[in-house]
């Protein structure tokens, strides 16, 4: 392996976080690209992690094959595919500096939304087609940019107050479809080199371990504490990326 130690550390950590997200802790995946962007370009980081996401998706789909909201999967997947298409059309006109800034901004806004939103004690809201397609499209677009589709997904699904297992399963199935749809656009925009695929292959065990760990943690760890720690880390890294994109 010709990895530099720092690069390998960030790549392995990012892969574990991807696995955790597929195991039932979706917000953790948002940390992967920002963390890996500390050692390589954000565009390269996004491309490198796609195979990791797809392999983790396969494990996650198997783990949650009986737990998901069929209506949400149908609607959000349709919107997500539209969002991927829009991301592909606009990718060539967005510079790497802008991508870095957007990745940081998405992370900061998600954290602020999570920390300052009003607590919703209302009755569960039923899923609806048009809002689902809208938020699914945003999820597909932000996922295309930096594998950061969790915020729009959560904005739409959390008010429905699904069970923890159904929430995790729905997220896993929706993003499995979105990630598969990204294969050709990514190859078209930045063709995979043999070295990229070998790097991804070395990282697969970390992602699979993270996926099974995520399934266990989903059942055992207090959600509030875990996600707070994830959000604090995401917020700090996102601010670093924004600062870097501004030339500091």
């Amino acid at each position: 392996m010709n990895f530099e130690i720092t690069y390998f550390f960030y790549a392995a950590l990012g892969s574990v976080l991807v696995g955790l997200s597929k195991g039932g802790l979706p917000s953790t995946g948002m940390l992967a690209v920002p963390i890996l962007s500390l050692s390589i370009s954000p565009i390269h980081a996004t491309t490198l992690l796609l195979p990791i996401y797809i392999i983790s998706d396969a494990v996650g789909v198997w783990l949650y094959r009986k737990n998901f909201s069929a209506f949400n999967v149908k609607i959000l997947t349709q919107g997500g595919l539209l969002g991927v298409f829009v991301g592909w059309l606009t990718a060539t006109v967005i510079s790497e500096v802008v991508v870095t800034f957007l990745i940081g901004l998405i992370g900061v806004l998600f954290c602020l939304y999570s920390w300052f939103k009003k607590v919703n004690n209302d009755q569960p809201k039923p899923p609806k087609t048009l809002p689902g397609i809208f938020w699914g499209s945003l999820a597909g677009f932000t996922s295309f940019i930096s594998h950061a589709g969790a915020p729009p997904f959560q904005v739409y699904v959390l008010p429905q107050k699904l069970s923890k297992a159904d929430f995790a399963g729905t997220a896993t199935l929706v993003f499995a479809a979105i990630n598969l749809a990204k294969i050709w656009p990514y190859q078209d925009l930045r063709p995979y080199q043999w070295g990229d695929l070998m790097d991804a292959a070395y990282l697969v065990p970390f992602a699979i371990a993270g996926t099974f760990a995520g399934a266990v943690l989903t059942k055992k760890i207090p959600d509030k504490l875990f996600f707070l720690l994830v959000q604090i880390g995401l917020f700090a890294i996102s601010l670093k990326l924004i600062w870097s994109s501004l030339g500091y």
Side-chain angles (χ1 to χ4, degrees):
M1 293 188 300
N2 294 320
F3 293 136
E4 295 180 0
I5 294 177
T6 301
Y7 165 66
F8 180 74
F9 172 78
Y10 286 136
L13 178 57
S15 299
V16 171
L17 291 168
V18 169
L20 288 172
S21 72
K22 299 305 174 182
L25 303 169
S27 295
T28 59
M30 288 191 65
L31 280 164
V33 171
I35 283 177
L36 194 47
S37 297
L38 296 175
S39 60
I40 59 177
S41 75
I43 293 176
H44 188 189
T46 303
T47 305
L48 175 65
L49 286 172
L50 181 58
I52 306 301
Y53 269 93
I54 290 173
I55 292 172
S56 300
D57 283 334
V59 179
V61 168
W62 180 80
L63 288 172
Y64 290 101
R65 61 193 181 279
K66 297 181 180 179
N67 301 100
F68 59 90
S69 166
F71 181 87
N72 280 312
V73 169
K74 177 182 177 181
I75 298 303
L76 288 167
T77 298
Q78 292 178 33
L81 297 180
L82 176 61
V84 168
F85 182 67
V86 173
W88 184 17
L89 291 179
T90 59
T92 56
V93 298
I94 300 178
S95 69
E96 185 172 306
V97 172
V98 173
V99 171
T100 303
F101 178 81
L102 287 176
I103 292 172
L105 182 63
I106 289 169
V108 167
L109 291 178
F110 175 66
C111 292
L112 293 177
Y113 171 80
S114 300
W115 295 337
F116 297 106
K117 68 180 178 181
K118 294 181 179 179
V119 177
N120 181 10
N121 294 318
D122 297 335
Q123 294 297 316
K125 294 183 179 180
K128 295 182 179 179
T129 300
L130 290 180
I133 291 177
F134 172 76
W135 289 109
S137 298
L138 286 181
F141 181 76
T142 54
S143 178
F144 186 87
I145 292 175
S146 65
H147 304 306
F153 174 87
Q154 293 186 4
V155 169
Y156 171 69
V157 177
L158 283 177
Q160 299 177 30
K161 299 185 177 179
L162 301 177
S163 69
K164 187 185 294 186
D166 284 352
F167 177 84
T170 300
T172 298
L173 266 65
V174 169
F175 287 109
I178 288 174
N179 288 330
L180 284 174
K182 292 189 289 191
I183 293 176
W184 171 248
Y186 275 34
Q187 177 67 14
D188 177 60
L189 294 169
R190 187 186 184 280
Y192 282 94
Q193 304 298 319
W194 180 248
D196 294 328
L197 297 177
M198 289 303 298
D199 286 2
Y202 288 128
L203 298 171
V204 166
F206 294 96
I208 293 177
T211 304
F212 282 101
V216 173
L217 290 172
T218 298
K219 299 177 181 178
K220 295 183 177 296
I221 197 168
D223 292 354
K224 189 173 182 179
L225 173 61
F226 184 84
F227 285 118
L228 177 60
L229 294 175
V230 170
Q231 289 160 5
I232 291 173
L234 176 61
F235 189 76
I237 292 171
S238 297
L239 286 178
K240 168 68 168 59
L241 291 176
I242 290 175
W243 192 251
S244 298
S245 71
L246 297 176
Y248 295 102

